[in-house]
């Protein structure tokens, strides 16, 4: 029983060590500890210098293990106490030290073997476990919903061009910036201050907030269009211009994974000096907290460092329609139409 108890203790120790550090080094370390404990135990049982309490050596080891050795000694001495007529008792059995050793050792060997086996089994199971599967299905199917991301630096003219596309082609225009500003001003919003700070500093609001706002807005649009549709059975194709989004790779990946895959990216390319001039002009009347020289500088930096990699990502996938945004709004729009017709055909 004591061996079992000690075995359990050793098992617990082994499992603790296995979880903490590299498992391959643990069993030998445990073996060393057990050998050390074993030899200490033997020393304790035979040494008179061991501390004694109530006539018994004090030890950290289970008392049943310590009791074995004295029992064997008593059986030898009882033989030598007999009278003279009595034939000498048969010689005491040879010292069973080595046997004892084996008997006391096997539980540890079993524990180590079981522990190592179990550990190897666990590790193998972990290695063979398949990677978690992507079970997410986008909320909207690309066959029912056409999504176009509209990107470009701050002030490139995205909003201006979107307004025209809405008028001529029936797109629904969702500006991520407008949705964030509305959420920022919504009484009781837990994200109000966070959004305010991000916008002022030209930083990107955590994607969960923006993706959720966009998904809700798309859902609202689709359900209100469905309810106003005289023929609900018809195969509607809802068309969205998602303006100023995605501005960061994580947003792009998340949106396409959980909301809807995008058909393409409409990218308005404009030099910084022109964008700055437009924004400073707009700032005279817009009332926007970020249409000032300091915020504009920060927004430009975020655009170059964080948003351009998104454009490059879609460019590599051949999903970008690039338009020069420097000319007048009319000329930019004419170019936009021509390029979208070519890319979308009857989906425009
Ligand atoms: N092609 C253009 N030429 C000159 N001015 C323009 C042109 N397009 C837009 N503008 C003006 O530049 C300003 C910025 O335009 P707009 O708001 O459309 O840009 P944006 O890319 O949506 O900006 P933001 O990213 O800050 O929302 C507006 O005042 C707009 O009237
Ligand atoms: O996906 C987005 C879009 C916008 N923001 C923040 O809003 C401001 C203003 O955006 P505009 O498109 O110019 O209206 C932008 O500078 C960001 O701070 C965002 O975090 N995530």
């Amino acid at each position: 029983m004591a061996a079992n108890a000690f075995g359990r203790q050793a098992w617990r120790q082994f499992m603790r060590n296995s979880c903490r550090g590299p498992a391959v080094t643990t069993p030998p370390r445990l073996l060393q500890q057990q050998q050390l404990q074993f030899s200490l135990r033997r020393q304790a049982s035979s040494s008179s210098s061991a501390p004694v309490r109530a006539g018994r050596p004090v030890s950290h080891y289970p008392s049943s293990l310590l009791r074995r050795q004295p029992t064997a000694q008593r059986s030898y001495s009882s033989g030598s106490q007999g009278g003279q007529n009595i034939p000498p008792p048969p010689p005491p059995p040879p010292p069973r030290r080595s046997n004892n050793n084996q008997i006391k050792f096997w539980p540890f060997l079993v524990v180590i073997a079981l522990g190592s086996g179990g550990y190897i089994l666990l590790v193998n199971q972990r290695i063979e476990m398949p990677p978690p599967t992507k079970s997410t299905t986008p909320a909207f199917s690309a066959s029912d919903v056409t999504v176009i991301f509209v990107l470009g630096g701050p002030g490139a003219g995205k909003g201006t061009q979107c307004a025209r596309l809405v008028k001529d082609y029936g797109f629904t225009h969702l500006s991520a910036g407008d949705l964030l500003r509305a959420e920022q001003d919504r009484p009781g919003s837990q994200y109000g201050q966070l959004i305010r700070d991000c916008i002022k500093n030209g930083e990107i609001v955590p994607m969960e907030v923006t993706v959720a706002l966009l998904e809700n807005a798309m859902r609202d649009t689709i359900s209100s269009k469905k309810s106003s549709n005289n023929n609900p059975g018809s195969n509607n194709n809802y068309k969205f211009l998602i303006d100023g989004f995605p501005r960061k790779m994580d947003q792009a990946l998340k949106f396409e994974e959980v909301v809807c895959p995008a058909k393409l990216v409409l990218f308005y390319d404009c030099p910084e000096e022109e964008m700055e001039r437009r924004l400073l002009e707009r700032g005279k009347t817009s009332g926007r907290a970020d249409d000032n020289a300091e915020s504009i500088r920060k927004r430009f930096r975020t655009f170059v460092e964080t948003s351009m990699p998104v454009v490059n990502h879609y460019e590599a996938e051949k999903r970008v329609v690039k338009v020069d945004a420097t000319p007048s709004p009319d000329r930019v729009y004419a170019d936009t139409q021509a390029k979208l017709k070519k890319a979308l055909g009857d989906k425009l």
Side-chain angles (χ1 to χ4, degrees):
M1 252 175 60
N4 280 346
F6 192 36
R8 277 198 299 274
Q9 195 185 358
W11 168 256
R12 276 198 293 272
Q13 178 69 24
F14 173 63
M15 290 311 282
R16 269 199 298 274
N17 286 345
S18 305
C19 295
R20 245 188 262 131
V24 280
T25 60
T26 307
R29 199 175 345 124
L30 179 62
L31 184 58
Q32 279 172 2
Q33 278 175 5
Q34 287 166 349
Q35 282 170 338
L36 181 65
Q37 288 169 357
F38 177 72
S39 63
L40 281 174
R41 182 174 49 74
R42 281 182 51 198
Q43 276 173 21
S45 66
S46 60
S47 161
S48 59
S49 65
V52 172
R53 195 191 302 150
R56 279 213 304 247
V58 176
S59 165
H60 299 293
Y61 300 98
S63 57
S64 57
L65 274 179
L66 290 171
R67 252 183 255 124
R68 277 182 180 236
Q69 195 76 332
T71 308
Q73 280 166 359
R74 265 204 306 279
S75 84
Y76 292 134
S77 62
S78 72
S80 67
Q81 274 172 358
Q84 284 177 350
N85 294 337
I86 301 169
R96 302 179 49 138
R97 227 161 232 223
S98 57
N99 259 354
N100 274 352
N101 285 359
Q102 275 174 11
I103 289 166
K104 289 165 194 166
F105 232 117
W106 71 262
F108 308 130
L109 294 175
V110 169
V111 164
I112 290 163
L114 284 175
S116 307
Y119 182 77
I120 289 164
L121 212 68
L122 278 174
V123 167
N124 281 347
Q125 270 179 358
R126 214 166 25 190
I127 290 167
E128 282 160 15
M129 247 181 332
T133 47
K134 264 193 182 176
S135 60
T136 322
T137 319
F140 308 107
S141 148
S143 56
D144 299 335
V145 173
T146 301
V147 164
I148 296 181
F149 291 147
V150 184
L151 292 178
K158 303 181 290 294
T160 303
Q161 298 301 319
C162 283
R164 292 178 176 215
L165 287 168
V166 167
K167 209 158 132 262
D168 290 345
Y169 301 100
F171 281 97
T172 297
H173 175 212
L174 296 177
S175 156
D178 285 350
L179 289 171
L180 286 168
R181 278 182 285 272
E183 177 64 21
Q184 164 200 292
D185 297 336
R186 187 174 63 82
S189 168
Q190 57 175 314
Y191 304 113
Q193 195 53 47
L194 171 76
I195 296 171
R196 194 167 290 110
D197 292 343
C198 285
I199 289 182
K200 185 97 201 302
N201 294 311
E203 287 164 4
I204 309 297
V205 174
M207 65 159 176
E208 290 79 4
V209 178
T210 319
V211 171
L213 289 172
L214 284 168
E215 184 178 345
N216 289 343
M218 286 176 71
R219 210 177 285 285
D220 290 350
T221 304
I222 290 172
S223 65
S224 77
K225 282 200 173 181
K226 263 187 183 156
S227 60
S228 64
N229 188 355
N230 291 333
N231 181 9
S234 74
N235 194 9
N236 278 306
N237 191 287
Y238 304 98
K239 303 190 291 184
F240 291 93
L241 295 169
I242 311 278
D243 171 7
F245 179 96
R247 277 170 139 99
K248 200 174 172 184
M249 263 325 288
D250 65 349
Q251 291 179 326
L253 299 174
K254 195 72 182 172
F255 184 94
E256 294 209 78
E257 184 194 343
V258 305
V259 183
C260 187
K263 183 83 185 155
L264 52 84
V265 172
L266 184 55
F267 172 52
Y268 288 103
D269 191 22
C270 195
E272 269 189 17
E273 310 79 64
E274 175 62 15
M275 293 192 290
E276 185 182 22
R277 194 192 59 73
R278 291 178 188 177
L279 289 177
L280 289 174
E281 187 59 32
R282 188 178 70 182
K284 289 175 185 168
T285 54
S286 70
R288 278 180 56 160
D290 55 351
D291 276 351
N292 58 76
E294 195 187 340
S295 292
I296 290 168
R297 221 178 9 260
K298 290 176 181 170
R299 291 161 74 191
F300 284 167
R301 205 165 107 186
T302 302
F303 176 70
V304 170
E305 291 175 359
T306 312
S307 306
M308 269 315 286
V310 178
V311 177
N312 295 336
H313 163 80
Y314 285 111
E315 183 93 65
E317 291 189 353
K318 309 229 176 307
R319 280 204 271 170
V320 172
V321 170
K322 185 171 164 180
V323 175
D324 179 7
T326 327
S328 70
D330 284 351
R331 283 182 56 199
V332 174
Y333 187 58
D335 197 13
T336 301
Q337 279 179 300
K339 286 181 172 160
L340 278 185
K341 271 180 193 155
K342 199 170 162 205
L344 290 175
D346 60 0
K347 288 244 172 197
L348 181 63

